[in-house]
């Protein structure tokens, strides 16, 4: 297949030019690699990939049109001085942004809510020194989907291992592999940095995390 440079530089949906996209020789397709705090939606035949530790990814698509994508998010840790209601409110707000950005982008590009197909992954306890933020992410995403009337048709959540996820929005196929031999701390450091960034973002007004 002949792929032009412009095919990789220009995503099928405007607004995702910042996402790292490349030609995946193994799968013979364009791949979009997302990091913590990012999401990506496509209307063409490409894959979305990420590596998850404590974070969670929702893979969502319109199963009739094949428009879909993936997010990658973690709930922020909050100061212990805040009340329990404030902590829940802040965490939920960040999680809502992650899910709503993904769903709304699919719908605004022709998808229909009744056709949405959902799969969720991640939430591993890979940073032993932190509270179980992975479990909080799992609880949030499952509660969010339940409240929105969306039932995941597939999930792989929890455990202690990072996961590599490769999602094909056009078909709904997911390749997921648990990384049991982690030879470096890249994932841990990346998630620590993401948590630190979340702490620095004020939760007020129109917060843009992506």
């Amino acid at each position: 297949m002949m792929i032009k440079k412009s095919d990789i530089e220009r995503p099928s949906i405007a607004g995702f030019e910042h996402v790292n996209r490349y030609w995946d020789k193994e799968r013979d397709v364009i791949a979009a690699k997302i990091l913590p705090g990012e999401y990506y939606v496509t209307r063409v035949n490409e894959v979305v990939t990420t590596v998850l530790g404590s974070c969670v990814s929702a893979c969502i698509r319109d199963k009739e049109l094949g428009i879909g994508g993936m997010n990658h998010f973690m709930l922020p840790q909050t100061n212990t001085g805040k009340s329990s209601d404030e902590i829940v409110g802040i965490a939920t707000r960040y999680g809502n942004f992650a899910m709503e950005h993904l769903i709304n982008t699919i719908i605004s590009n022709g998808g229909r809510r009744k056709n949405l197909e959902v799969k969720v992954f991640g939430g591993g306890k890979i940073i032993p020194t932190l509270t179980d933020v992975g479990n909080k992410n799992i609880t949030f995403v499952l509660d969010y989907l339940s409240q929105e009337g969306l039932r995941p048709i597939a999930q792989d959540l929890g455990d202690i291992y990072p996961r590599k996820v490769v999602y094909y929005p056009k078909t709904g196929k997911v390749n997921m592999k648990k990384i049991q031999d982690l030879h470096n701390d890249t994932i841990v450091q990346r998630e620590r940095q993401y948590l630190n960034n979340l702490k620095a973002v004020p939760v007020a007004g129109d917060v843009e995390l992506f």
Side-chain angles (χ1 to χ4, degrees):
M1 180 178 179
M2 198 67 179
I3 295 295
K4 297 177 293 185
K5 184 178 180 182
S6 59
D7 292 330
I8 297 178
E9 291 178 341
R10 291 197 296 268
S12 66
I13 294 175
F16 294 104
E17 289 78 10
H18 64 287
V19 173
N20 177 24
R21 297 168 71 246
Y22 59 95
W23 180 248
D24 185 328
K25 294 180 180 179
E26 178 184 348
R27 297 177 178 84
D28 202 32
V29 69
I30 292 175
K33 183 177 181 179
I34 59 172
L35 299 173
E38 293 185 336
Y39 80 115
Y40 184 81
V41 176
T42 180
R43 60 170 74 248
V44 297
N45 184 32
E46 52 187 349
V47 302
V48 192
T49 181
T50 198
V51 176
L52 300 164
S54 304
C55 292
V56 164
S57 280
C59 301
I60 304 179
R61 74 180 188 121
D62 180 309
K63 62 187 178 183
E64 299 295 328
L65 298 180
I67 298 171
M70 180 199 296
N71 60 22
H72 181 152
F73 71 94
M74 180 188 293
L75 302 186
Q77 290 184 303
T78 53
N79 297 329
T80 55
K82 293 183 180 294
S83 70
S84 59
D85 286 344
E86 285 180 302
I87 291 172
V88 171
I90 291 171
T92 299
R93 185 166 182 183
Y94 276 86
N96 284 342
F97 271 114
M99 295 301 293
E100 289 173 6
H101 271 74
L102 177 57
I103 292 172
N104 289 343
T105 302
I106 294 170
I107 292 174
S108 66
N109 282 276
R112 303 184 69 179
R113 191 176 188 84
K114 69 176 185 178
N115 294 334
L116 294 183
E117 176 186 272
V118 183
K119 300 178 180 182
V120 289
F121 304 91
K125 187 173 174 59
I126 68 161
I127 309 178
T129 57
L130 288 182
T131 56
D132 195 357
V133 64
N135 190 56
K136 291 183 174 67
N137 294 327
I138 293 169
T139 298
F140 166 79
V141 75
L142 294 179
D143 285 350
Y144 178 94
L145 292 171
S146 177
Q147 291 169 14
E148 293 296 316
L150 299 170
R151 184 177 63 85
I153 65 167
Q155 63 184 57
D156 193 282
L157 301 163
D159 213 330
I160 61 171
Y161 300 110
R163 295 166 169 83
K164 180 174 182 180
V165 180
V166 180
Y167 179 48
Y168 298 74
K170 204 72 178 174
T171 64
K173 178 182 176 182
V174 176
N175 292 331
M176 194 280 300
K177 178 182 179 182
K178 290 184 179 178
I179 306 171
Q180 300 191 16
D181 295 315
L182 195 61
H183 299 297
N184 60 62
D185 62 354
T186 300
I187 299 169
V188 172
Q189 292 303 319
R190 184 181 293 160
E191 293 201 349
R192 285 187 186 278
Q193 182 60 49
Y194 181 38
L195 280 172
N196 289 334
N197 291 343
L198 290 180
K199 291 177 185 177
V201 177
V203 186
D206 294 326
V207 179
E208 177 60 70
L209 299 180
F210 301 94

